[in-house]
C-alpha cells in the first residue's frame, strides 16, 4: 500500500515539474527567465548625432542602438511596438531615458522600424535576448 502511495506522490511530483517547466518556455529567441518591461519608448533627437554615449561610443542615428537605465552595455533586446506589433532588435549602448514612464530611448533608425517617428513615442515591450 505504501508503495502505491509513494509511487502516486512521485508521479504527481513529475507532473507538477513538467507543467512548471512548460510555463517557462519562450518564443522568438527570448532568454528563458528574462523579464520583459512595458512602458513608453522614445527616440533620440537628431541633435545628438555624433555625441558620445555613456558607453563611450558615438551616437549614430543609423545604428540599431538604444539607451536603457539598468541593462548592461552590449545587451541585445527585442523592442515590440504594442500599437502595431512591429519589433526590432537593438543593442544597449547608452543610459536613459530619464523621463517618467519611458523605458527605452531608441536610435532614429530603430524608431523608424517600429513606426514611431511621427508620434514620437509608443507603448512597447522590451525583452532581453540571449
Amino acid at each position: 500500500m505504501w508503495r502505491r502511495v509513494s509511487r502516486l506522490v512521485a508521479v504527481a511530483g513529475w507532473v507538477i515539474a513538467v507543467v512548471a517547466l512548460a510555463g517557462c518556455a519562450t518564443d522568438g529567441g527570448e532568454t528563458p527567465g528574462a523579464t520583459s518591461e512595458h512602458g513608453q519608448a522614445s527616440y533620440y533627437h537628431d541633435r545628438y548625432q555624433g555625441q558620445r554615449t555613456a558607453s563611450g561610443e558615438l551616437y549614430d542615428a543609423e545604428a540599431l542602438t538604444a539607451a536603457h537605465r539598468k541593462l548592461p552595455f552590449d545587451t541585445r533586446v527585442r523592442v515590440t511596438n504594442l500599437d502595431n506589433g512591429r519589433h526590432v532588435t537593438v543593442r544597449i549602448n547608452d543610459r536613459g531615458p530619464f523621463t517618467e514612464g519611458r523605458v527605452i530611448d531608441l536610435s532614429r533608425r530603430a524608431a523608424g522600424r517600429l513606426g514611431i517617428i511621427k508620434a514620437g513615442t509608443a507603448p512597447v515591450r522590451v525583452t532581453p535576448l540571449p
Side-chain angles (χ1 to χ4, degrees):
M1 166 129 172
W2 288 109
R3 278 190 178 167
R4 282 187 185 170
V5 170
S6 170
R7 192 173 286 177
L8 285 173
V9 169
V11 170
W14 278 105
V15 169
I16 290 169
V18 168
V19 169
L21 287 174
C24 294
T26 64
D27 62 354
E30 296 171 359
T31 303
T35 57
S36 295
E37 275 184 280
H38 290 80
Q40 291 288 312
S42 55
Y43 66 96
Y44 288 89
H45 191 277
D46 292 338
R47 71 175 174 252
Y48 293 110
Q49 177 66 29
Q51 300 268 334
R52 204 155 295 282
T53 65
S55 69
E57 292 178 42
L58 297 180
Y59 169 65
D60 178 1
E62 291 303 309
L64 292 174
T65 57
H68 190 276
R69 286 188 201 102
K70 299 176 187 172
L71 289 173
F73 294 138
D74 292 326
T75 299
R76 291 175 49 235
V77 297
R78 172 177 283 167
V79 182
T80 304
N81 182 333
L82 299 176
D83 283 342
N84 62 21
R86 292 185 189 179
H87 59 86
V88 66
T89 298
V90 296
R91 182 176 55 85
I92 303 300
N93 73 337
D94 201 6
R95 290 290 170 234
F98 301 109
T99 302
E100 181 80 26
R102 301 222 180 130
V103 295
I104 197 162
D105 272 337
L106 302 164
S107 66
R108 184 171 182 85
R109 182 174 180 198
R113 289 207 180 163
L114 291 178
I116 68 171
I117 297 294
K118 188 173 183 180
T121 63
V124 296
R125 178 178 58 241
V126 177
T127 307
L129 298 174

